[in-house]
């Protein structure tokens, strides 16, 4: 062969080898690209599910709050009706329920009867100075014990 032809053959082989190497690199990097596309799609689907779940939880709590308020309102209406019916129909004073104002006055009296805690006892309590000490007996000849603190 001619030297000029060998240069062309080497150039063509190098070009074909470069194309083959490029195709292989694209093939292997393309599988990672497909994997990352699948992961991104799964992430988007999961975020959508999470958003729907949060919305459903919010609506659930709003519904529960509304139901609780309705139950409270109906309970107060029932209590008021029972109080008025008991006040008008019951002949036994024990069946008559106290009004809300009476209950408030009783609770105010209870708070006034509270006292501040003390760090001493009136007499013979657990905080008394002589608590836990033996009393001196007439026939006892042992030395007196010092007070225990």
């Amino acid at each position: 062969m001619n030297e000029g032809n060998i240069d062309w053959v080497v150039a063509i082989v190098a070009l074909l080898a470069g194309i083959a190497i490029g195709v292989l690199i694209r093939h292997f990097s393309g599988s990672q690209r497909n994997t990352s596309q699948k992961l991104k799609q799964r992430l988007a689907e999961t975020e959508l599910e999470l958003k729907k779940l949060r919305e459903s939880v919010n609506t659930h709590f709003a519904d529960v709050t509304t139901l609780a308020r309705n139950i409270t309102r109906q309970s107060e209406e029932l209590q008021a009706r029972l109080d008025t019916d008991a006040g008008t129909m019951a002949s036994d004073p024990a069946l008559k329920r106290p009004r809300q104002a009476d209950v408030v006055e009783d609770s105010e009296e209870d708070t006034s009867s509270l006292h501040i805690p003390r760090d001493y006892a009136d007499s013979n309590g657990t905080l008394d100075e002589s608590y836990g000490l033996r009393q001196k007996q007439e026939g006892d000849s042992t030395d007196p014990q010092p007070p225990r603190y």
Side-chain angles (χ1 to χ4, degrees):
M1 278 204 172
N2 197 353
E3 285 185 21
N5 289 340
I6 292 180
D7 289 338
W8 282 100
V9 171
V10 171
I12 291 173
V13 169
L15 178 66
L16 290 176
I19 291 173
I21 291 173
V23 168
L24 287 175
I25 290 174
R26 176 159 169 93
H27 174 71
F28 288 122
S29 68
S31 65
Q32 292 175 354
R33 188 177 308 137
N34 290 338
T35 304
S36 66
Q37 288 292 334
K38 289 178 184 177
L39 287 176
K40 286 179 183 178
Q41 184 179 1
R42 282 185 54 200
L43 178 64
E45 290 172 357
T46 306
E47 286 177 350
L48 182 63
E49 286 180 26
L50 181 62
K51 184 178 178 181
K52 287 180 182 179
L53 181 64
R54 284 182 180 165
E55 289 175 359
S56 67
V57 167
N58 288 340
T59 56
H60 169 73
F61 281 126
D63 293 343
V64 168
T65 303
T66 303
L67 291 173
R69 286 181 184 152
N70 289 341
I71 288 173
T72 303
R73 182 183 46 81
Q74 290 174 353
S75 171
E76 290 171 354
E77 289 175 1
L78 179 64
Q79 184 67 40
R81 179 140 186 207
L82 284 174
D83 286 342
T84 57
D85 290 347
T88 58
M89 297 178 151
S91 60
D92 187 11
L95 293 177
K96 292 184 179 182
R97 300 184 73 123
R99 299 276 182 216
Q100 292 291 341
D102 297 338
V103 173
V104 170
E105 291 174 5
D106 291 340
S107 65
E108 288 174 359
E109 292 173 5
D110 292 340
T111 58
S112 65
S113 66
L114 295 177
H115 63 279
I116 298 173
R118 302 180 296 183
D119 61 346
Y120 60 92
D122 289 332
S123 62
N124 296 334
T126 56
L127 297 176
D128 190 17
E129 288 184 8
S130 63
Y131 178 75
L133 299 177
R134 293 185 193 169
Q135 297 294 328
K136 214 177 199 186
Q137 297 178 357
E138 292 177 14
D140 198 7
S141 65
T142 62
D143 293 332
Q145 294 288 330
R148 299 185 317 193
Y149 293 107

